[in-house]
Amino acid sequence: MNDTATPVKSAKLVPDFLIIGAAKSGTSTLYRYLDKHPQVCFPPDKEPCFFDVNAAWDKGWDWYANLWAERQEGQLLAEGSTNYTFYPHVPNAPELIHEHAPNCKLIYMMRHPVSRTYSHYAHRQTKELFPGKPFEHDVLEFAKIDPLILDCSDYYKQIQRYLALFPREQMLFCFIGEMIKDPRSFTQNVCQFIGIDDQIDLTAEGQIVDNKGSKHRDGKLRYYTTEPFRKNPVIRTIAYALPQPCRTFAYNLVKKTG
């Protein structure tokens, strides 16, 4: 734990569940589904990042509790800050969550790590670090500048920090492919996990698609992303060691973007 002072909890509101990550893995889509449920209350900003000591922790507990000012009686309180699985860049999120909301349920979305890294690379380049500037680094070179894009794809490292504090039954691990393939069953499973009515069809208005990174990928980006994977012998060796479904996924990804 760092030396940051603990916010005073003058209000007793704590989240009932959190979508903790991974970034660029369908967390916004899941949030938009669950936000339709009458038994769930999200803040206006899906990602307040309160348990990130580099972001909002110093704003205090009153600020955090007030995010749910529009809550209705009986609603579960939730938010979805992917910063909570940005270790080591965000160092103490699991500890802070466990200290202040030990009974909170945690949902962790994942996607193929290469695809996730690719998407995060594009987002960090165009939205956060170098907006409006041309792509000057391939994905591996960019990772030296911004190791976050690889650390967030190390699911084992991120998950182990939570499992060291929370019982396994308080965590739900999901894959974006399952949500895309069968959103109705997927959202039902999530509703069962967090303990709300799973007979409400959150997909009745149609499938939600968020963060379509392919809309923003030009030829130069595709080259910079896939070329190092094709040329790097270590990555090729790892790829051949993957199970067949993963190899097929990687092949189709390179075929589509190469």
Side-chain angles (χ1 to χ4, degrees):
M1 189 73 63
N2 66 29
D3 296 329
T4 304
T6 299
V8 176
K9 290 200 294 182
S10 60
K12 298 298 183 181
L13 296 180
V14 295
D16 294 292
F17 72 91
L18 297 171
I19 303 171
I20 58 174
K24 317 310 293 182
S25 298
T27 60
S28 293
T29 301
L30 178 58
Y31 150 72
R32 289 180 62 192
Y33 279 129
L34 293 176
D35 195 39
K36 296 180 178 183
H37 202 293
Q39 295 174 324
V40 173
C41 179
F42 277 96
D45 179 5
K46 170 219 172 197
E47 301 201 41
C49 302
F50 180 63
F51 296 105
D52 179 348
V53 296
N54 303 317
W57 182 246
D58 289 338
K59 293 183 178 181
W61 207 271
D62 285 343
W63 174 86
Y64 190 50
N66 193 56
L67 296 177
W68 295 290
E70 302 300 320
R71 69 191 182 281
Q72 302 296 316
E73 184 177 356
Q75 285 185 319
L76 298 185
L77 307 184
E79 52 120 324
S81 301
T82 59
N83 288 37
Y84 301 159
T85 46
F86 277 15
Y87 181 81
H89 311 275
V90 176
N92 299 315
E95 290 83 0
L96 291 173
I97 295 169
H98 184 262
E99 178 181 353
H100 297 283
N103 297 318
C104 181
K105 293 186 176 181
L106 306 167
I107 302 172
Y108 188 57
M109 294 283 296
M110 292 172 280
R111 68 191 285 189
H112 191 289
V114 172
S115 179
R116 199 220 67 84
T117 301
Y118 179 0
S119 181
H120 207 174
Y121 158 59
H123 179 85
R124 293 283 284 173
Q125 164 75 34
T126 61
K127 304 294 185 182
E128 297 181 357
L129 298 186
F130 307 109
K133 296 182 179 180
F135 285 86
E136 297 179 350
H137 307 280
D138 66 40
V139 67
L140 297 182
E141 292 171 342
F142 190 86
K144 296 176 183 178
I145 301 169
D146 184 33
L148 176 68
I149 65 170
L150 292 182
D151 289 323
C152 290
S153 292
D154 189 345
Y155 303 142
Y156 179 82
K157 176 170 63 179
Q158 305 297 339
I159 289 170
Q160 285 299 105
R161 291 182 54 76
Y162 281 91
L163 287 178
L165 297 167
F166 292 89
R168 173 64 180 83
E169 58 268 22
Q170 275 180 236
M171 300 192 69
L172 180 67
F173 303 107
C174 309
F175 292 91
I176 187 174
E178 298 169 347
M179 181 169 61
I180 294 171
K181 181 180 180 181
D182 190 347
R184 175 73 173 115
S185 294
F186 183 91
T187 53
Q188 278 187 308
N189 184 52
V190 173
C191 289
Q192 292 168 6
F193 171 70
I194 60 180
I196 58 176
D197 186 357
D198 66 347
Q199 295 307 303
I200 297 176
D201 187 359
L202 304 179
T203 66
E205 297 176 3
Q207 186 172 2
I208 295 172
V209 180
D210 262 351
N211 298 330
K212 292 287 287 182
S214 59
K215 294 181 180 178
H216 309 290
R217 296 169 189 166
D218 58 21
K220 191 171 184 180
L221 170 58
R222 289 194 294 269
Y223 172 83
Y224 278 131
T225 301
T226 60
E227 189 67 8
F229 290 112
R230 286 195 291 259
K231 291 184 175 180
N232 190 302
V234 175
I235 292 177
R236 286 204 305 270
T237 300
I238 293 173
Y240 282 116
L242 290 172
Q244 183 60 45
C246 292
R247 295 206 306 271
T248 301
F249 181 96
Y251 169 75
N252 288 335
L253 178 67
V254 171
K255 184 173 66 173
K256 287 191 296 183
T257 60

